Amino acid sequence: MDYKKTFWLLMTAVVLCAFSGCTSMKKLLSTDLEEASDEDWIIGKLYEDEYVKESPYRPAGNSGDGTYKAPAGASEAARSLAAIRSRKDDKALYDALMPWMGVPYLYGGTTKKGVDCSAFVGAIYKTRYGIVLHRTANDIQQDVTFIKRSELKEGDILFFTNSNNKVSHVGIYLKDATFVHSSTSSGVTLSRFDSGYWAKRIYRYGRVKGKK
């Protein structure tokens, strides 16, 4: 390992220790970083999506108008999406979301066999709006104009940070502090960003450039 790579490895270890504890540093230092992609691996660890154990989403009684039902045999996540839906909501958006509900989380996944948060958001945007987004949660920031929480509209993007204070997770805003995303523990599901883990990690709100 050359001196330059060693320097950056040690600097990254210090950052990891400062932000997420020395367990992360020990894990980093015990890993053999002799490949050409060493730097990519280090950066990936800093921006890694964290495992978040979530309870099943329980829709509020008045969040939908009761006119929509999930397909027979649909997942609990799909039933929750149908429960919050009303006639005034964006039909094309909800139709694009429904086939993805309940798909398991898979880091690097891009299909309905398994999908990560940024690939899921990207798939929905391509289907609903015909817009191609950047691939990673952090890079999707380049696709948006940042807005205030009070300006949120259906389909806007929410950005969340991990314990390293790096943007590592994205989701799509629906209504009433509810968003849809690919959760590391629950797959594609609904969650709220006004309480619990997501309230602590919400970072920014964005409207994709060119979205109508």
Side-chain angles (χ1 to χ4, degrees):
M1 184 179 292
D2 60 35
Y3 290 112
K4 181 179 179 181
K5 186 176 292 184
T6 301
F7 170 78
W8 284 110
L9 173 59
L10 291 174
M11 289 298 294
T12 303
V14 170
V15 171
L16 284 172
C17 187
F19 286 115
S20 59
C22 290
T23 299
S24 297
M25 183 176 74
K26 290 176 181 177
K27 181 178 179 181
L28 178 66
L29 292 176
S30 66
T31 304
D32 183 15
L33 299 179
E34 294 293 339
E35 301 299 325
S37 60
D38 291 349
E39 289 80 5
D40 291 337
W41 185 89
I42 292 172
I43 292 172
K45 297 308 289 183
L46 288 173
Y47 288 85
E48 189 173 46
D49 203 359
E50 295 177 327
Y51 181 82
V52 182
K53 181 63 178 176
E54 297 192 75
S55 300
Y57 179 87
R58 306 297 183 193
N62 60 352
S63 56
D65 59 16
T67 59
Y68 295 94
K69 302 294 182 183
S75 66
E76 182 176 8
R79 294 195 299 272
S80 293
L81 181 69
I84 70 167
R85 186 173 174 178
S86 65
R87 292 183 183 86
K88 65 181 181 179
D89 295 325
D90 182 343
K91 180 180 184 300
L93 175 59
Y94 278 73
D95 287 348
L97 290 171
M98 186 59 77
W100 287 91
M101 301 307 293
V103 170
Y105 177 89
L106 177 65
Y107 179 74
T110 60
T111 72
K112 292 186 178 73
K113 293 182 179 179
V115 68
D116 63 24
C117 65
S118 54
F120 166 67
V121 170
I124 297 303
Y125 259 78
K126 186 175 181 180
T127 299
R128 170 60 186 91
Y129 304 109
I131 297 174
V132 177
L133 302 178
H134 280 77
R135 176 61 182 87
T136 68
N138 185 63
D139 287 347
I140 289 175
Q141 293 181 94
Q142 300 175 49
D143 300 317
V144 308
T145 298
F146 292 109
I147 58 176
K148 298 177 181 179
R149 176 172 174 172
S150 60
E151 298 173 319
L152 278 171
K153 294 181 179 179
E154 197 173 31
D156 288 337
I157 295 181
L158 309 179
F159 296 88
F160 301 88
T161 57
N162 59 16
S163 58
N164 295 318
N165 290 324
K166 303 296 184 182
V167 172
S168 62
H169 195 77
V170 285
I172 299 173
Y173 175 73
L174 295 178
K175 59 171 121 178
D176 304 326
T178 299
F179 70 106
V180 59
H181 63 131
S182 184
S183 161
T184 51
S185 63
S186 302
V188 179
T189 189
L190 301 179
S191 298
R192 296 185 64 88
F193 65 90
D194 58 353
S195 62
Y197 176 88
W198 301 115
K200 298 175 183 177
R201 292 299 177 186
I202 185 70
Y203 174 59
R204 275 179 159 179
Y205 316 92
R207 181 160 300 144
V208 172
K209 301 166 186 175
K211 172 180 169 290
K212 297 179 180 179

